[in-house]
Amino acid sequence: MFPDSSTCYEDCKATAEWLKAQTSVRPLVAIVCGSGMGGLADMLKDQVAFNYKDIPNFPQSTVHGHAGRLVFGTLKGRPCVCMQGRFHLYEGYAIQKITLPMRIFSLMGVETVILTNAAGGLNQDFKVGDIMIIKDHVNIPGFAGNNPLTGPNDDRFGVRFPCMSDAYDRDLQQLALDVGQELGYGDFLREGVYCVLGGPSFETIAECRMLHKLGADAVGMSTVHEVIVARHCGMRVFALSLITNKSVMDYDSEEKANHEEVLETSRLRSSQLQKMVSNLVNKMEPIKHTNF
Ligand SMILES: O=P(O)(O)O[C@@H]1C[C@H](O)[C@@H](CO)O1
């Protein structure tokens, strides 16, 4: 059995209230930085930053390339919050704990979540450095029952059985494609399906071949759990993968996946990622609320 650590509404509320008392920024957009992509937070103006260790109920970052800071500020005039460092299953946290920030953001009034990650390219047409707009996911830990919504459902967050066929907002996908084309990124802009595994070991050759056959274009160790929780509480989601390495699919290959290559590719693409995310935030329509 997986640990039952359903995130308590009161704890999430207490953290949201604590953060609201520390900063006057009321973010509408949350950005989650993938491995080595913490530079995305540098785009924010008038920053107010907190170390995760100082935030009540927050887990700690333990992975190189994930600084462990929550940064508030404005991006193109829009109030935002940026997670400089996310949490992964392989760090030993319960799946409910690694997704806790999504619930806190929702209680703070965030409407849109932008998630980024580093991933291995399964699609043979993909190159290292490609940016893949995620259109769908395959949740392998979920197949085994490890889903962040496991446990009693709290209706104050969302419904018991949330739909996932519309997890990735189609308008934002199109907008990101347009933004990428306008920036001249067409040569390295892709769309595809992201598959999450538990990690921390990288995949075997047989696993990569299987995942590719299952319809995945990229493989990683994050994002999907956050997407499920963000959608459960009604936030709009956009996500992208940076293809930091090619998945090894061939027994003759000498290539070996490694975290150093992941961080180096993220560093090399950081300026394009920043431009893409900031232009997307600039151009996205605010969510229209219907008053009944
Ligand atoms: O947080 P992300 O998904 O970007 O991190 C990926 C998956 C592992 O944490 C790490 C492997 O290099 O990068």
Side-chain angles (χ1 to χ4, degrees):
M1 256 315 272
F2 299 104
D4 176 18
S5 66
S6 333
T7 44
C8 162
Y9 185 88
E10 282 69 29
D11 285 351
C12 294
K13 189 84 186 153
T15 306
E17 293 304 322
W18 185 89
L19 287 166
K20 281 162 79 175
Q22 313 291 317
T23 167
S24 56
V25 181
R26 295 290 174 264
L28 294 175
V29 179
I31 301 166
V32 181
C33 303
S35 281
M37 299 173 203
L40 288 168
D42 298 341
M43 304 181 296
L44 301 197
K45 292 221 165 65
D46 304 320
Q47 294 191 5
V48 183
F50 304 92
N51 291 320
Y52 290 167
K53 69 175 170 46
D54 298 325
I55 304 174
N57 301 315
F58 235 67
Q60 309 306 312
S61 282
T62 68
V63 185
H64 184 37
H66 291 262
R69 276 173 15 119
L70 192 62
V71 184
F72 290 84
T74 57
L75 180 54
K76 306 275 185 184
R78 300 200 175 192
C80 292
V81 59
C82 192
M83 283 182 75
Q84 236 179 4
R86 66 142 60 79
F87 314 108
H88 308 83
L89 270 184
Y90 62 78
E91 292 175 80
Y93 294 118
I95 197 164
Q96 291 87 355
K97 193 78 179 172
I98 65 178
T99 51
L100 179 102
M102 298 301 117
R103 291 184 159 176
I104 294 168
F105 294 156
S106 169
L107 290 171
M108 292 188 78
V110 167
E111 296 180 336
T112 306
V113 185
I114 298 176
L115 300 119
T116 62
N117 65 55
L122 296 163
N123 185 319
Q124 295 302 286
D125 295 335
F126 287 5
K127 297 184 297 301
V128 170
D130 283 355
I131 295 173
M132 181 187 89
I133 292 166
I134 301 180
K135 64 176 184 190
D136 206 347
H137 69 228
V138 177
N139 178 11
I140 300 279
F143 289 178
N146 200 7
N147 183 301
L149 303 180
T150 299
N153 187 61
D154 191 326
D155 296 339
R156 289 172 290 185
F157 288 123
V159 297
R160 171 77 286 190
F161 301 109
C163 175
M164 284 296 139
S165 55
D166 59 351
Y168 299 88
D169 187 89
R170 302 224 168 100
D171 292 338
L172 289 183
Q173 288 174 53
Q174 187 56 54
L175 185 61
L177 285 172
D178 295 344
V179 161
Q181 290 295 346
E182 277 167 27
L183 287 165
Y185 296 170
D187 285 350
F188 56 88
L189 203 56
R190 313 270 176 232
E191 290 173 274
V193 175
Y194 174 86
C195 176
V196 63
L197 299 181
S201 48
F202 288 108
E203 303 69 45
T204 64
I205 292 168
E207 286 165 347
C208 289
R209 290 178 171 194
M210 180 193 81
L211 297 174
H212 186 230
K213 283 206 174 104
L214 284 180
D217 297 294
V219 57
M221 307 176 194
S222 70
T223 306
V224 168
H225 322 305
E226 294 149 336
V227 169
I228 292 171
V229 172
R231 291 298 298 146
H232 181 242
C233 42
M235 293 189 287
R236 177 170 69 162
V237 165
F238 171 80
L240 64 80
S241 293
L242 175 65
I243 305 301
T244 52
N245 53 290
K246 276 182 88 101
S247 298
V248 181
M249 311 279 273
D250 181 351
Y251 288 99
D252 293 332
S253 171
E254 296 287 315
E255 287 177 52
K256 292 177 198 275
N258 64 87
H259 192 52
E260 290 66 39
E261 183 187 9
V262 168
L263 295 181
E264 177 62 6
T265 311
S266 298
R267 193 183 66 75
L268 292 173
R269 266 284 178 256
S270 65
S271 112
Q272 287 97 343
L273 282 172
Q274 288 185 21
K275 285 197 187 107
M276 210 170 136
V277 171
S278 66
N279 285 13
L280 183 66
V281 170
N282 188 34
K283 292 195 167 171
M284 66 173 58
E285 299 280 342
I287 292 184
K288 291 187 189 70
H289 293 285
T290 318
N291 293 317
F292 293 102

